[in-house]
Amino acid sequence: MTIPPLLFALLMWFVGTAAVVWLDSRPRATFRTSFTLAGLVAAGAAIAVWLRADDASSAGAYMGFAAAILIWGWHEMGFLMGFVAGPNRAPMPAGTTGWRRFRLATATVIHHEIALAATAVVLFALTWGQPNQAAPLTFLLLFAARLSAKLNLFLGVPNLSDEVFPAHLAYLKSYFAVRAFNPLFPLSILLGSGVAAWSWITAEASSGGGAVTATLIAGLAVLGVVEHLFLVLPMKDGAMWRWASNTATEVAPISGGEARHGS
């Protein structure tokens, strides 16, 4: 029971990331069409979540997880392609520190964060009181991991992995900081590992769709911890996605580097 869900989580993460990288590396003239079509897919996924909310089977859990990844991918396309970000799209002014730096950094992504939070609320509303909670739990975990990574980049990490950043989002790099350590990072690792361990224990004590959902969440939490570790290890995770780029233009990945960059 444990191996198939873990492999499915890894496959969805890998394929989803590669798909967004490829679409975002195409000519910008294609962005609106790609984003619109992906939006239709996301809408279909949300309808599927609602229709299968009472499905407590393993198939229902896989469907909910996949639907959440598809919806997440659409949101990330919106950010990477420049459709939904924030009111501030300018580099940080030289010498900016403290609260003003935080306020300006928040303004670069706040619209996207609000959209993600609203989507999480909608997914929980669609499945409220129903046994199949795979979709809202998956989306909430992705949102939490993304927010954690962004805050770590803002506070400072040794490895920014910004060599594969979209040119039209280059201004965001001015809000990152390079530091050997920040106090949030170990807490992020601890919480991510805790979610993975709790989900694994829950999976062992459950059966059917509940066990599959918990195992999928455990696998996704582990991937989130690994992505955080790339922020401090002397390794460039962006190299993993160069093969998926459609052009010479590099882009940041959806759940890995992109999830950390603004992302």
Side-chain angles (χ1 to χ4, degrees):
M1 174 65 73
T2 58
I3 300 301
L6 292 177
L7 290 177
F8 187 77
L10 178 61
L11 179 65
M12 287 298 301
W13 170 83
F14 187 81
V15 173
T17 299
V20 173
V21 167
W22 183 77
L23 289 170
D24 189 51
S25 66
R26 299 183 70 207
R28 295 192 68 177
T30 67
F31 283 5
R32 189 168 298 277
T33 298
S34 296
F35 184 58
T36 299
L37 293 176
L40 294 175
V41 172
I47 293 173
V49 169
W50 176 56
L51 292 176
R52 301 287 294 275
D54 61 347
D55 186 354
S57 69
S58 297
Y62 283 117
M63 184 283 305
F65 183 86
I69 296 295
L70 291 172
I71 296 169
W72 180 265
W74 174 64
H75 275 288
E76 293 305 274
M77 285 174 63
F79 177 79
L80 282 171
M81 293 177 176
F83 294 117
V84 184
N88 178 20
R89 302 203 178 194
M92 183 178 66
T96 304
T97 59
W99 171 249
R100 183 165 184 261
R101 176 174 174 256
F102 179 78
R103 180 172 56 81
L104 290 174
T106 300
T108 63
V109 294
I110 189 62
H111 293 163
H112 192 221
E113 300 309 307
I114 292 173
L116 289 173
T119 301
V121 171
V122 168
L123 289 175
F124 275 104
L126 290 175
T127 59
W128 190 259
Q130 299 297 325
N132 188 357
Q133 295 293 311
L137 290 176
T138 298
F139 196 90
L140 182 63
L141 177 57
L142 288 167
F143 186 25
R146 179 187 194 276
L147 185 60
S148 169
K150 285 176 51 186
L151 288 171
N152 274 287
L153 277 172
F154 174 79
L155 293 173
V157 290
N159 179 21
L160 298 178
S161 293
D162 58 2
E163 75 282 357
V164 289
F165 216 68
H168 55 278
L169 296 180
Y171 64 92
L172 287 174
K173 293 189 286 186
S174 64
Y175 296 91
F176 304 161
V178 177
R179 291 193 179 92
F181 175 83
N182 80 72
L184 177 63
F185 186 80
L187 180 60
S188 298
I189 296 298
L190 180 63
L191 289 176
S193 301
V195 170
W198 177 80
S199 299
W200 188 266
I201 292 172
T202 300
E204 291 294 306
S206 304
S207 60
V212 172
T213 295
T215 306
L216 289 167
I217 294 297
L220 191 62
V222 170
L223 288 171
V225 170
V226 171
E227 290 170 351
H228 274 67
L229 290 175
F230 275 115
L231 295 173
V232 299
L233 296 175
M235 302 168 61
K236 299 295 185 182
D237 62 335
M240 291 191 300
W241 309 109
R242 290 194 184 116
W243 63 271
S245 179
N246 187 59
T247 68
T249 302
E250 301 289 358
V251 295
I254 171 179
S255 308
E258 198 281 325
R260 300 190 303 271
H261 296 323
S263 123

